[in-house]
Amino acid sequence: MSLARALELAGAAAGVAYPKPTVGAVVLADGEVVGEGVTEAGGRHAEVVALDQAGARARGSTLFVTLEPCAHQGTTPPCTERVLGAGVARVVVGSRDPNPEAAGGVDVLRAGGVEVELIDSPEARAQNEAWRVWVSQGRPFVTYKVAATLDGRIALPGRRFISGEQSRRLVHELRAASDAVAVGMGTVRSDAPRLDAREVPLPRGQPRRLAFGRGPLPPGSGLELRSGPLRSELAALAAEGVQSLLLEGGPTLAGAFIEADLLDKILVFVAPLLGFGDGPSLLPRLGSGRNLSHLGARRVGEDVLLQAYVHAP
């Protein structure tokens, strides 16, 4: 139950600690919550916030934390030292830390006499999916977003939009939560997309707006052209701090990312439309099949949003 509360705390604070991961922590003593915390912007980690709140009652307690306590000196001292110093008896960890520099906290705590239970929660991993890929693979986490009819068409004659108003607002929220948004040059030439987030909160400002492919870009597009091999371009973006990339291009760009094994998640807004012509489909024919995981669906206005992972975080 308290791990669920730690996940709830982290979910409510999504992005607050960026570019650090969002982490939630709860301290339980004698069946009572005596401390709660989330990682602060530029400050204490979640475990430290919760332990500071718990004070002396942390001794002999159970600490629930959504991410493995760090075992290295970074911008703050190792959280493992704080946990051991507080006399915590048991730690329940929601997910391993994929950062090679900070990992190993579970082993340090066990060596220090603390009972550790590793849950490996899909929800805990998903809360920091972009950061996990960025820190462990040196590239952004890549999501392909597309709107389609029930028969899989992504463009219809005489219609500007396929998805409904609520879906389009959610797309702007996705842009605002992404470090970069990208299309292919075919979309640039046909649609002149803006790719900015509009009429939604912008806690980190506008995302970078990219075009993959061969130029030149039209005058005044405001986009950055990325013409190199996809893997090299993603490595360069990661080095510049881009943790998350949202693809909004057509099937050609999405297919290129899939064939290069660089796509992590797919979001398909399925509209209640059928038989409106023979427009392009949401993906081209691929050279080989892909098994997706963690399929989910939810209603967004009149549409249904399908979500699945090519690579789960």
Side-chain angles (χ1 to χ4, degrees):
M1 177 63 72
S2 290
L3 181 60
R5 174 57 181 164
L7 289 166
E8 180 184 3
L9 291 168
V16 169
Y18 178 88
K20 293 181 179 181
T22 299
V23 181
V26 173
V27 181
L28 192 69
D30 300 320
E32 178 186 354
V33 173
V34 296
E36 294 185 338
V38 294
T39 301
E40 297 173 333
R44 298 172 297 171
H45 288 190
E47 305 94 305
V48 175
V49 176
L51 289 170
D52 284 350
Q53 188 179 111
R57 297 198 65 182
R59 186 160 299 278
S61 68
T62 297
L63 169 67
F64 297 83
V65 61
T66 58
L67 181 68
E68 179 182 18
C70 65
H72 82 311
Q73 175 71 48
T75 57
T76 63
C79 288
T80 49
E81 290 185 1
R82 183 69 173 83
V83 174
L84 292 171
V88 172
R90 178 171 177 257
V91 176
V92 179
V93 177
S95 60
R96 283 276 195 183
D97 190 333
N99 184 351
E101 295 182 357
V106 165
D107 296 332
V108 170
L109 292 175
R110 285 173 174 161
V114 177
E115 178 188 348
V116 179
E117 180 181 359
L118 178 62
I119 301 297
D120 195 28
S121 158
E123 183 180 352
R125 295 197 305 272
Q127 283 187 335
N128 292 301
E129 59 191 14
W131 174 83
R132 295 182 70 88
V133 168
W134 178 72
V135 78
S136 64
Q137 300 185 37
R139 67 168 179 83
F141 181 88
V142 181
T143 300
Y144 173 46
K145 181 280 303 177
V146 64
T149 63
L150 197 59
D151 48 348
R153 302 302 174 186
I154 65 169
L156 300 178
R159 295 181 68 118
R160 182 182 177 189
F161 299 115
I162 289 179
S163 58
E165 183 177 349
Q166 292 185 44
S167 294
R168 296 197 299 275
R169 178 178 173 81
L170 180 54
V171 169
H172 285 278
E173 294 174 358
L174 291 170
R175 291 177 181 176
S178 300
D179 293 324
V181 183
V183 294
M185 282 302 300
T187 300
V188 172
R189 297 185 183 102
S190 63
D191 296 344
R194 292 171 55 180
L195 302 184
D196 56 343
R198 301 186 292 277
E199 299 181 7
V200 296
L202 296 169
R204 302 204 305 264
Q206 290 287 353
R208 290 174 63 172
R209 297 172 296 140
L210 314 176
F212 286 95
R214 300 296 178 186
L217 287 168
S221 72
L223 306 181
E224 301 175 38
L225 183 63
R226 315 295 299 208
S227 297
L230 292 181
R231 193 170 295 276
S232 297
E233 292 290 359
L234 291 191
L237 289 168
E240 295 165 2
V242 175
Q243 296 185 12
S244 54
L245 173 63
L246 179 66
L247 298 184
E248 293 197 26
T252 301
L253 181 64
F257 270 82
I258 292 174
E259 295 288 18
D261 202 26
L262 293 172
L263 186 66
D264 298 294
K265 185 163 71 171
I266 299 176
L267 301 175
V268 183
F269 291 87
V270 181
L273 301 170
L274 184 67
F276 276 81
D278 296 323
S281 58
L282 53 89
L283 283 175
R285 179 180 292 275
L286 301 174
S288 59
R290 300 291 190 279
N291 291 322
L292 307 183
S293 65
H294 299 83
L295 178 66
R298 65 184 175 99
R299 186 81 175 264
V300 181
E302 296 182 350
D303 306 323
V304 172
L305 174 57
L306 301 179
Q307 172 181 301
Y309 287 95
V310 182
H311 300 297

